[in-house]
Structure formats: structure tokens, C-alpha cells
Amino acid sequence: MAVTLSLVAAQALTGCGLLTEPTITVNVGYQSKTINTVNAGTLMRDRREFEDTLNRLGTANGKKYRVVWQDFASGAPLTAQMMATHVDIGSMGDYPLLTNGSKTRKYSDAETELIATTGYSLRGSLNQVVVPAESTARTLGDLASRRVSTSLGSAGDGMFSTALQRNKIEKTAVNIVNQDPAVGASAIDGGQVDALAQFVPWPQLVIFRNNARLLYDGGDNEVPTFHGVVVRRQFADAHPEVTAAFLQAMKATTEYINTNPLPAALRVSAITGIEPEVVYLYNGPNGLVSFDMTLKPQFAAAFDQIKTFLVTRGSVTADFDIAGFLDDSHLRQLFGADYEQRRDSIVNPDPLTGTDDLCRLPVADPAQASEVWAKDADHTQVAATPTCLLRRVAATPAVRAAYVPDTLTGIRLFADHAVWLQDPGAAPTQRYKPFATDAGADTYRAEHPQAQPVGYSIAVSQSRSSG
């Protein structure tokens, strides 16, 4: 009789709604100001792509889901929270990703796997070293005995350490100051440090604000750089539908960025406070970031080099299995038969194209394609070459931002912060050459001694007079 009464009572409680299936909470860690992860963080959260996908899923399976977003300044504290199982899904840069995989594998409930990329640069130009605009430093060697701000354990720190090794400079020769990116940006503005080594978007942000100039591009390390998404294996195994829903939402957000780059940049700016011109430098057409979710073979090769460095730092164990850390099965399920074709493509999914009506040329070559964003304009105008861009700037009453590719590397630059040379031996539409650094301009002049330095405003003025 007691058993019967208990059963009746349980049924009554269920009927009254007092006994329901518990809500599945998904803790997502992201870095709001790391704008090449916005498709797995800031913009995804703002557009509620993940929540909407989970709501549709819940309607179908009868479960309830709740998303908790946690914002971090860099990858290291995010990894600490994943180790404590307080974060289920997180996004961070390449060096922190490998550290994350190595450190979490010690714990069965915290062990992670890398399931997707957010954005990447095969050249490695998402991490850079900048110095105050008035600094006399021209090379990394000039930073000896100087104070350099970075975030220890971050992609910026890894890039800087690798750069010092490549240039045969002992790390003890510089004074490292461990600071969050925002603190470091303020420190270089206030003169408390002599250089800032950081990840996207901080180097170009302080350049845009006229507080710094580029000293060293991380791409010179010849190691691809990327950010990605990790998930706790235990969580993914327990809730495979959540992992699938996250990647579906990420795919929708990625496609939105690639098809609506200017509105996306404006929205990210409104959320983060980062100037839209800076966001668009990275996330716009031919931007420094290629938004592509696939796990490309180049990333595994980059991880091999990163691992060597991190093992010497004690951040990764020598026996850590990189191949076992990478899991593209979720992406294969998402993209189906198209996955391998997407993975093998290294073409920027958001190319800068169109027709230059001033130079009367098609805009097709990524190594030349340039862009002007006029003030109060809701669209940009393209230029076939940097020289054609100068003509466009000269013809535009008020310019919000102008973007050109570096002559040697093709990386996207603010035109007014580039180092310019005038080469009289070049074709008329190729006469003005922009460079990211003084060192790059020096390299060009070594082979083209006739090229001479020219200021940006003078180059614009001369372009105006030349038509």
C-alpha cells in the first residue's frame, strides 16, 4: 500500500508541474574585445543565435537550456575556469589553446578538445609589437633594457617570445611587464612602457588612436596564427546536441560577418567600444582576419612549433598529443560533404572586389585592392591599387578611414599610418608604395634605390594634382 501511495504522489507532483526535467546550463567563456572570436562570442551573443538554436532544439526534444556568458580579458583565466569546470565552451588564441588542452587533460571532467576555428591569419599578422609614435626604436633589438607590456601566456606573449628567439635576442634582455591588454594599451599611451606586444585588436587600436606605430609584425615569425573553440569532452559527450547547436549558431554568425562586414563591424564597435574603423580593418573584406571555422592542416603544423616553445616554458607537457586534441568530427557533421573542400581552401571568404571608377580598373588583386570609408557614408569605395586609393582620398572631402595592403606582405593597413615610398620607376597606378614598418620600406629600397620616402599627406596632395 505504501508503494502505491508513493507512486500516486509522484504522479500527482509531476502532473502539477513540480517535478520537471532540470534545466541544462551551458557556460560559455569568450573574450569580448578579441574581435576575431566575435563569431563564437560577442556577436553571437548579441544576435542570440545560440539561444535561439537551443530554443528550437528544446521545443523538439522537450528539454530546457540556459546560456551563461562569461567575459575574459585573455585565454589564461578562461582556461583556469575550464579546469574548474565553470566553463563548458570557450574561445581563445593558439598559444592558450594548446596550454588549455595540456593543462585540462589531467582531469577527466575538465579535459578539452579543439572543435573549430573562429578566425585566422596564415601569415600570422594578428599579433604585433607596437611602440610609442615618437619612439626611436626601429627593430626588436632596440627594445633591449626597455619595458615591454604583454599578457603572459597569451598569443601576443607567444608571438613576442618567438620573435625574440628568431632574432637571436635573449628574453632577459627586455623587461617584460605582465598586463591585461587594455592596461597595456593605456600604459603605452601614458609612457609607462616602451612597447606593447599583443593580440588582435590591441596593436592596431593604439595605432589608430595615434598613440603608437608598428615595430614588428607577427607574420615575420612565419607561423600561422588563429583562435579557436574548445569544449570540455565530458560536457560534449553528455550533451552532443548542445555542441551541435553551438556550431550551428557559430556558422550563422560567421556567414553574417562575411556577407555583412560593415554592419557587423559597426555592431561589434557599439558593443565593445572599439572604434569601428579598427574592427573593420581586421574583420572587413581582405581583412587581417579570415573567418573560417574549419581546422586547417596548417594549424596542426603551427601547433607543432608552438608546442616546442610552450614545452620550454613549462606550459605544455612534452608528451601532449596534438592530434588527439583536434576533433573535427563536429564540423564534419555540420558541413557534411563540403567540409574537406572548405578546409583545404585558404581564400579569404570575404574578398574586396568591384570596379575602381577613378583609375578605371577592376579591383581583383588582394595584394593591391584598397578601400576608402568616407565620413557619414553607409558604404565604402574600392580602389584597384594603393596609388589609386590616394587619388580617391584626394577626391573625398572627409575620410573616415582608408585601407591599403602592405607592398611586401599584403597585410591590411591604415593608409595614414603606413610608411610610404614613391617609386618613379613604377607604373603610374603603382607609383606609391605603402609598408607596415620602416624595416619593410628599407627592404624595398634595397632593391629599388630610386624609391624615396614620402609623407602620407604629401602623397595624397601629389595624387590630387596628378589626377
Side-chain angles (χ1 to χ4, degrees):
M1 184 66 176
V3 174
T4 303
L5 288 174
S6 298
L7 178 61
V8 171
Q11 291 173 337
L13 288 171
T14 302
C16 294
L18 298 179
L19 291 181
T20 59
E21 188 166 348
T23 298
I24 298 171
T25 299
V26 188
N27 295 288
V28 180
Y30 73 114
Q31 301 172 58
S32 63
K33 293 184 182 296
T34 305
I35 55 177
N36 61 322
T37 63
V38 294
N39 53 338
T42 303
L43 200 57
M44 180 198 285
R45 178 182 184 181
D46 179 65
R47 292 173 57 80
R48 293 189 57 81
E49 294 281 4
F50 189 28
E51 288 86 346
D52 290 346
T53 304
L54 288 176
N55 286 338
R56 291 192 296 270
L57 179 63
T59 300
N61 64 16
K63 297 180 180 180
K64 292 185 178 180
Y65 300 92
R66 182 172 73 101
V67 180
V68 177
W69 296 89
Q70 300 180 41
D71 193 2
F72 296 87
S74 62
L78 202 167
T79 289
Q81 290 302 300
M82 295 195 84
M83 291 173 65
T85 68
H86 294 161
V87 170
D88 306 307
I89 303 172
S91 55
M92 62 190 73
D94 40 22
Y95 284 78
L97 281 170
L98 212 58
T99 301
N100 178 286
S102 180
K103 288 185 178 297
T104 60
R105 74 166 182 158
K106 303 172 186 175
Y107 313 99
S108 59
D109 57 350
E111 184 179 11
T112 61
E113 58 186 3
L114 176 62
I115 61 171
T117 305
T118 59
Y120 73 92
S121 165
L122 284 186
R123 173 171 165 76
S125 296
L126 301 183
N127 308 305
Q128 297 173 327
V129 182
V130 297
V131 294
E134 67 279 4
S135 173
T136 59
R138 290 178 60 88
T139 68
L140 287 177
D142 294 330
L143 298 181
S145 302
R146 306 284 185 90
R147 291 165 58 85
V148 180
S149 172
T150 192
S151 305
L152 293 181
S154 72
D157 174 35
M159 173 276 301
F160 183 57
S161 299
T162 301
L164 292 177
Q165 287 182 352
R166 285 179 59 88
N167 287 273
K168 297 180 172 53
I169 301 170
E170 293 293 334
K171 195 168 185 178
T172 54
V174 298
N175 298 320
I176 299 296
V177 181
N178 182 21
Q179 296 176 323
D180 281 344
V183 176
S186 297
I188 199 168
D189 180 28
Q192 288 93 28
V193 296
D194 302 294
L196 175 72
Q198 276 297 356
F199 51 84
V200 51
W202 298 99
Q204 293 296 327
L205 179 63
V206 292
I207 288 175
F208 178 77
R209 292 175 178 174
N210 297 313
N211 296 330
R213 61 177 174 80
L214 187 63
L215 179 75
Y216 186 86
D217 177 48
D220 291 341
N221 287 347
E222 299 180 354
V223 181
T225 185
F226 51 94
H227 282 61
V229 176
V230 284
V231 62
R232 290 193 300 110
R233 290 182 191 269
Q234 185 184 78
F235 180 86
D237 291 343
H239 308 290
E241 80 284 4
V242 174
T243 303
F246 185 88
L247 292 180
Q248 288 170 5
M250 185 178 169
K251 178 175 180 286
T253 308
T254 303
E255 291 173 348
Y256 174 77
I257 295 170
N258 286 331
T259 55
N260 301 275
L262 196 61
L266 290 168
R267 185 57 190 155
V268 170
S269 171
I271 298 168
T272 64
I274 298 170
E275 288 86 337
E277 298 88 345
V278 177
V279 179
Y280 196 65
L281 173 77
Y282 286 100
N283 295 7
N286 285 8
L288 290 172
V289 179
S290 292
F291 285 99
D292 182 334
M293 296 169 62
T294 61
L295 298 180
K296 300 187 181 301
Q298 293 91 334
F299 302 160
F303 266 152
D304 287 337
Q305 297 184 60
I306 293 170
K307 177 182 174 181
T308 300
F309 166 74
L310 290 176
V311 168
T312 63
R313 288 279 296 270
S315 301
V316 170
T317 58
D319 63 345
F320 180 63
D321 178 19
I322 294 175
F325 176 54
L326 309 179
D327 182 0
D328 64 1
S329 64
H330 306 281
L331 290 176
R332 288 180 179 276
Q333 182 177 4
L334 176 67
F335 291 112
D338 291 338
Y339 176 71
E340 291 189 1
Q341 180 180 356
R342 288 172 176 263
R343 180 199 62 194
D344 294 341
S345 173
I346 57 173
V347 176
N348 191 319
D350 184 16
L352 184 60
T353 59
T355 301
D356 183 336
D357 58 3
L358 282 184
C359 281
R360 296 181 176 85
L361 293 170
V363 178
D365 182 3
Q368 296 287 327
S370 305
E371 192 173 13
V372 176
W373 186 0
K375 285 187 177 179
D376 301 322
D378 59 1
H379 65 282
T380 62
Q381 293 179 301
V382 295
T385 70
T387 299
C388 293
L389 174 126
L390 294 175
R391 297 180 187 176
R392 175 71 67 182
V393 170
T396 304
V399 174
R400 184 170 187 166
Y403 307 96
V404 291
D406 177 272
T407 301
L408 299 180
T409 66
I411 68 169
R412 191 159 150 107
L413 314 170
F414 287 116
D416 58 336
H417 290 282
V419 178
W420 287 86
L421 295 180
Q422 182 181 16
D423 186 351
T429 59
Q430 304 280 339
R431 194 144 294 166
Y432 294 93
K433 307 288 186 180
F435 299 87
T437 63
D438 290 319
D442 291 344
T443 298
Y444 183 87
R445 291 187 70 192
E447 296 185 4
H448 304 82
Q450 73 277 13
Q452 296 298 317
V454 60
Y456 175 68
S457 59
I458 294 176
V460 171
S461 178
Q462 291 175 347
S463 296
R464 179 185 293 111
S465 61
S466 66

mmCIF file of all heavy atoms in Angstrom, residues 20 42 56 72 127 138 156 177 243 263 270 281 318 323 328 333 341 358 365 371 381 403 407 415 423 448 455 458:
data_model
loop_
_atom_site.group_PDB
_atom_site.id
_atom_site.type_symbol
_atom_site.label_atom_id
_atom_site.label_comp_id
_atom_site.label_asym_id
_atom_site.label_seq_id
_atom_site.Cartn_x
_atom_site.Cartn_y
_atom_site.Cartn_z
ATOM 1 N N THR A 20 9.937 18.463 -12.852
ATOM 2 C CA THR A 20 10.235 18.667 -14.261
ATOM 3 C C THR A 20 11.691 18.335 -14.524
ATOM 4 O O THR A 20 12.502 18.275 -13.603
ATOM 5 C CB THR A 20 9.984 20.132 -14.675
ATOM 6 O OG1 THR A 20 10.810 20.981 -13.884
ATOM 7 C CG2 THR A 20 8.518 20.513 -14.479
ATOM 8 N N THR A 42 31.121 37.650 -28.852
ATOM 9 C CA THR A 42 30.432 38.937 -28.786
ATOM 10 C C THR A 42 29.239 39.047 -29.731
ATOM 11 O O THR A 42 28.125 39.375 -29.312
ATOM 12 C CB THR A 42 31.421 40.080 -29.095
ATOM 13 O OG1 THR A 42 32.502 40.009 -28.164
ATOM 14 C CG2 THR A 42 30.756 41.423 -28.979
ATOM 15 N N ARG A 56 14.841 26.274 -30.231
ATOM 16 C CA ARG A 56 14.232 25.400 -31.236
ATOM 17 C C ARG A 56 14.497 23.942 -30.901
ATOM 18 O O ARG A 56 13.619 23.083 -31.055
ATOM 19 C CB ARG A 56 14.782 25.734 -32.628
ATOM 20 C CG ARG A 56 14.325 27.090 -33.164
ATOM 21 C CD ARG A 56 14.659 27.235 -34.645
ATOM 22 N NE ARG A 56 16.092 27.236 -34.890
ATOM 23 C CZ ARG A 56 16.850 28.327 -34.905
ATOM 24 N NH1 ARG A 56 16.298 29.523 -34.656
ATOM 25 N NH2 ARG A 56 18.143 28.259 -35.161
ATOM 26 N N PHE A 72 36.185 37.263 -20.606
ATOM 27 C CA PHE A 72 37.553 37.213 -20.102
ATOM 28 C C PHE A 72 38.443 38.148 -20.913
ATOM 29 O O PHE A 72 38.164 38.430 -22.069
ATOM 30 C CB PHE A 72 38.111 35.787 -20.176
ATOM 31 C CG PHE A 72 37.383 34.800 -19.304
ATOM 32 C CD1 PHE A 72 36.256 34.140 -19.775
ATOM 33 C CD2 PHE A 72 37.812 34.548 -18.014
ATOM 34 C CE1 PHE A 72 35.577 33.224 -18.983
ATOM 35 C CE2 PHE A 72 37.146 33.635 -17.202
ATOM 36 C CZ PHE A 72 36.017 32.981 -17.685
ATOM 37 N N ASN A 127 49.011 39.133 -34.376
ATOM 38 C CA ASN A 127 49.788 39.516 -33.193
ATOM 39 C C ASN A 127 50.919 40.438 -33.653
ATOM 40 O O ASN A 127 51.605 40.134 -34.633
ATOM 41 C CB ASN A 127 50.370 38.275 -32.504
ATOM 42 C CG ASN A 127 49.311 37.227 -32.218
ATOM 43 O OD1 ASN A 127 48.311 37.509 -31.571
ATOM 44 N ND2 ASN A 127 49.526 36.009 -32.710
ATOM 45 N N ARG A 138 63.587 51.026 -34.109
ATOM 46 C CA ARG A 138 63.295 50.598 -35.479
ATOM 47 C C ARG A 138 63.293 49.076 -35.623
ATOM 48 O O ARG A 138 62.765 48.544 -36.595
ATOM 49 C CB ARG A 138 64.319 51.191 -36.448
ATOM 50 C CG ARG A 138 64.184 52.695 -36.633
ATOM 51 C CD ARG A 138 65.271 53.235 -37.568
ATOM 52 N NE ARG A 138 65.215 52.642 -38.903
ATOM 53 C CZ ARG A 138 64.469 53.114 -39.899
ATOM 54 N NH1 ARG A 138 63.700 54.172 -39.686
ATOM 55 N NH2 ARG A 138 64.495 52.537 -41.089
ATOM 56 N N GLY A 156 49.844 36.946 -27.838
ATOM 57 C CA GLY A 156 50.781 38.049 -28.003
ATOM 58 C C GLY A 156 52.120 37.753 -27.347
ATOM 59 O O GLY A 156 53.184 38.045 -27.914
ATOM 60 N N VAL A 177 56.572 43.264 -18.765
ATOM 61 C CA VAL A 177 55.564 43.726 -17.811
ATOM 62 C C VAL A 177 54.276 42.966 -18.115
ATOM 63 O O VAL A 177 53.715 43.100 -19.207
ATOM 64 C CB VAL A 177 55.335 45.244 -17.935
ATOM 65 C CG1 VAL A 177 54.307 45.703 -16.905
ATOM 66 C CG2 VAL A 177 56.645 45.998 -17.764
ATOM 67 N N THR A 243 26.589 20.964 -28.302
ATOM 68 C CA THR A 243 27.769 21.259 -29.115
ATOM 69 C C THR A 243 27.370 21.511 -30.563
ATOM 70 O O THR A 243 27.850 22.456 -31.208
ATOM 71 C CB THR A 243 28.769 20.092 -29.046
ATOM 72 O OG1 THR A 243 29.124 19.851 -27.681
ATOM 73 C CG2 THR A 243 30.034 20.412 -29.841
ATOM 74 N N PRO A 263 28.085 46.439 -41.502
ATOM 75 C CA PRO A 263 27.143 46.434 -40.377
ATOM 76 C C PRO A 263 27.658 45.625 -39.186
ATOM 77 O O PRO A 263 27.448 46.013 -38.033
ATOM 78 C CB PRO A 263 25.879 45.811 -40.973
ATOM 79 C CG PRO A 263 25.974 46.072 -42.433
ATOM 80 C CD PRO A 263 27.442 45.987 -42.754
ATOM 81 N N ALA A 270 29.793 49.028 -31.367
ATOM 82 C CA ALA A 270 28.810 49.534 -30.413
ATOM 83 C C ALA A 270 28.815 48.723 -29.126
ATOM 84 O O ALA A 270 28.612 49.260 -28.029
ATOM 85 C CB ALA A 270 27.420 49.517 -31.047
ATOM 86 N N LEU A 281 39.131 47.061 -40.035
ATOM 87 C CA LEU A 281 40.481 46.736 -40.516
ATOM 88 C C LEU A 281 40.730 45.239 -40.431
ATOM 89 O O LEU A 281 41.278 44.618 -41.349
ATOM 90 C CB LEU A 281 41.532 47.473 -39.685
ATOM 91 C CG LEU A 281 42.999 47.097 -39.960
ATOM 92 C CD1 LEU A 281 43.491 47.752 -41.236
ATOM 93 C CD2 LEU A 281 43.892 47.481 -38.784
ATOM 94 N N ALA A 318 55.673 17.535 -22.668
ATOM 95 C CA ALA A 318 56.309 17.050 -23.894
ATOM 96 C C ALA A 318 55.519 15.928 -24.550
ATOM 97 O O ALA A 318 55.590 15.739 -25.764
ATOM 98 C CB ALA A 318 57.729 16.578 -23.578
ATOM 99 N N ALA A 323 47.389 15.713 -32.084
ATOM 100 C CA ALA A 323 46.386 15.090 -32.954
ATOM 101 C C ALA A 323 45.162 14.663 -32.157
ATOM 102 O O ALA A 323 44.022 14.778 -32.619
ATOM 103 C CB ALA A 323 46.995 13.898 -33.688
ATOM 104 N N ASP A 328 37.645 17.287 -35.507
ATOM 105 C CA ASP A 328 36.812 17.956 -36.499
ATOM 106 C C ASP A 328 35.536 17.176 -36.812
ATOM 107 O O ASP A 328 34.827 17.496 -37.771
ATOM 108 C CB ASP A 328 37.597 18.220 -37.790
ATOM 109 C CG ASP A 328 38.031 16.943 -38.495
ATOM 110 O OD1 ASP A 328 37.707 15.837 -38.007
ATOM 111 O OD2 ASP A 328 38.709 17.050 -39.536
ATOM 112 N N GLN A 333 30.112 16.870 -39.298
ATOM 113 C CA GLN A 333 28.670 16.659 -39.189
ATOM 114 C C GLN A 333 27.919 17.924 -39.630
ATOM 115 O O GLN A 333 26.874 17.844 -40.286
ATOM 116 C CB GLN A 333 28.300 16.307 -37.750
ATOM 117 C CG GLN A 333 26.822 16.027 -37.544
ATOM 118 C CD GLN A 333 26.515 15.613 -36.108
ATOM 119 O OE1 GLN A 333 27.384 15.606 -35.249
ATOM 120 N NE2 GLN A 333 25.260 15.274 -35.858
ATOM 121 N N GLN A 341 36.522 20.394 -48.704
ATOM 122 C CA GLN A 341 36.759 21.475 -49.655
ATOM 123 C C GLN A 341 36.906 22.804 -48.919
ATOM 124 O O GLN A 341 37.788 23.614 -49.233
ATOM 125 C CB GLN A 341 35.609 21.555 -50.655
ATOM 126 C CG GLN A 341 35.775 22.668 -51.691
ATOM 127 C CD GLN A 341 34.614 22.724 -52.671
ATOM 128 O OE1 GLN A 341 33.716 21.888 -52.631
ATOM 129 N NE2 GLN A 341 34.639 23.711 -53.549
ATOM 130 N N LEU A 358 37.761 55.643 -60.724
ATOM 131 C CA LEU A 358 38.752 56.704 -60.936
ATOM 132 C C LEU A 358 39.905 56.215 -61.806
ATOM 133 O O LEU A 358 40.296 56.869 -62.772
ATOM 134 C CB LEU A 358 39.284 57.211 -59.594
ATOM 135 C CG LEU A 358 38.381 58.169 -58.807
ATOM 136 C CD1 LEU A 358 39.096 58.644 -57.547
ATOM 137 C CD2 LEU A 358 37.999 59.373 -59.660
ATOM 138 N N ASP A 365 42.966 42.056 -57.385
ATOM 139 C CA ASP A 365 44.192 41.532 -56.792
ATOM 140 C C ASP A 365 44.225 41.862 -55.300
ATOM 141 O O ASP A 365 44.344 43.033 -54.926
ATOM 142 C CB ASP A 365 45.409 42.137 -57.490
ATOM 143 C CG ASP A 365 46.729 41.600 -56.952
ATOM 144 O OD1 ASP A 365 46.700 40.716 -56.071
ATOM 145 O OD2 ASP A 365 47.781 42.074 -57.418
ATOM 146 N N GLU A 371 40.687 50.419 -50.046
ATOM 147 C CA GLU A 371 39.308 50.780 -49.712
ATOM 148 C C GLU A 371 39.270 52.091 -48.941
ATOM 149 O O GLU A 371 40.114 52.333 -48.075
ATOM 150 C CB GLU A 371 38.709 49.649 -48.873
ATOM 151 C CG GLU A 371 37.232 49.692 -48.656
ATOM 152 C CD GLU A 371 36.732 48.420 -47.957
ATOM 153 O OE1 GLU A 371 37.568 47.642 -47.439
ATOM 154 O OE2 GLU A 371 35.514 48.217 -47.931
ATOM 155 N N GLN A 381 34.170 52.721 -50.670
ATOM 156 C CA GLN A 381 34.522 52.756 -52.086
ATOM 157 C C GLN A 381 35.854 52.043 -52.279
ATOM 158 O O GLN A 381 36.769 52.191 -51.464
ATOM 159 C CB GLN A 381 34.617 54.206 -52.574
ATOM 160 C CG GLN A 381 33.276 54.936 -52.567
ATOM 161 C CD GLN A 381 33.414 56.370 -53.021
ATOM 162 O OE1 GLN A 381 34.146 57.148 -52.429
ATOM 163 N NE2 GLN A 381 32.695 56.733 -54.077
ATOM 164 N N TYR A 403 42.174 52.071 -46.232
ATOM 165 C CA TYR A 403 42.876 50.809 -46.008
ATOM 166 C C TYR A 403 43.667 50.414 -47.253
ATOM 167 O O TYR A 403 43.154 50.470 -48.375
ATOM 168 C CB TYR A 403 41.876 49.699 -45.675
ATOM 169 C CG TYR A 403 40.942 50.023 -44.542
ATOM 170 C CD1 TYR A 403 39.668 50.537 -44.791
ATOM 171 C CD2 TYR A 403 41.320 49.829 -43.220
ATOM 172 C CE1 TYR A 403 38.792 50.836 -43.751
ATOM 173 C CE2 TYR A 403 40.457 50.127 -42.168
ATOM 174 C CZ TYR A 403 39.190 50.630 -42.435
ATOM 175 O OH TYR A 403 38.336 50.939 -41.404
ATOM 176 N N THR A 407 52.992 46.472 -49.240
ATOM 177 C CA THR A 407 53.575 46.143 -50.540
ATOM 178 C C THR A 407 54.257 44.779 -50.556
ATOM 179 O O THR A 407 54.209 44.047 -51.555
ATOM 180 C CB THR A 407 54.587 47.226 -50.956
ATOM 181 O OG1 THR A 407 53.912 48.489 -51.028
ATOM 182 C CG2 THR A 407 55.217 46.910 -52.306
ATOM 183 N N ALA A 415 45.959 53.473 -44.135
ATOM 184 C CA ALA A 415 46.791 54.186 -45.101
ATOM 185 C C ALA A 415 47.541 55.347 -44.467
ATOM 186 O O ALA A 415 48.701 55.607 -44.797
ATOM 187 C CB ALA A 415 45.928 54.694 -46.256
ATOM 188 N N ASP A 423 58.001 55.536 -55.873
ATOM 189 C CA ASP A 423 58.916 54.858 -56.784
ATOM 190 C C ASP A 423 58.692 55.380 -58.203
ATOM 191 O O ASP A 423 57.740 54.973 -58.885
ATOM 192 C CB ASP A 423 58.679 53.349 -56.736
ATOM 193 C CG ASP A 423 59.697 52.564 -57.552
ATOM 194 O OD1 ASP A 423 60.480 53.206 -58.290
ATOM 195 O OD2 ASP A 423 59.707 51.330 -57.458
ATOM 196 N N HIS A 448 65.183 48.728 -54.838
ATOM 197 C CA HIS A 448 64.680 49.823 -55.675
ATOM 198 C C HIS A 448 65.235 51.134 -55.109
ATOM 199 O O HIS A 448 64.510 51.924 -54.490
ATOM 200 C CB HIS A 448 63.145 49.853 -55.679
ATOM 201 C CG HIS A 448 62.502 48.568 -56.119
ATOM 202 N ND1 HIS A 448 62.322 47.496 -55.263
ATOM 203 C CD2 HIS A 448 62.029 48.176 -57.343
ATOM 204 C CE1 HIS A 448 61.735 46.510 -55.923
ATOM 205 N NE2 HIS A 448 61.545 46.899 -57.186
ATOM 206 N N GLY A 455 55.710 61.491 -47.221
ATOM 207 C CA GLY A 455 54.662 61.518 -46.214
ATOM 208 C C GLY A 455 53.296 61.246 -46.816
ATOM 209 O O GLY A 455 53.053 61.518 -48.005
ATOM 210 N N ILE A 458 51.491 64.354 -48.187
ATOM 211 C CA ILE A 458 52.121 64.815 -49.427
ATOM 212 C C ILE A 458 51.748 63.895 -50.589
ATOM 213 O O ILE A 458 51.472 64.362 -51.699
ATOM 214 C CB ILE A 458 53.655 64.887 -49.244
ATOM 215 C CG1 ILE A 458 54.013 65.954 -48.225
ATOM 216 C CG2 ILE A 458 54.328 65.153 -50.582
ATOM 217 C CD1 ILE A 458 55.485 66.035 -47.910
#
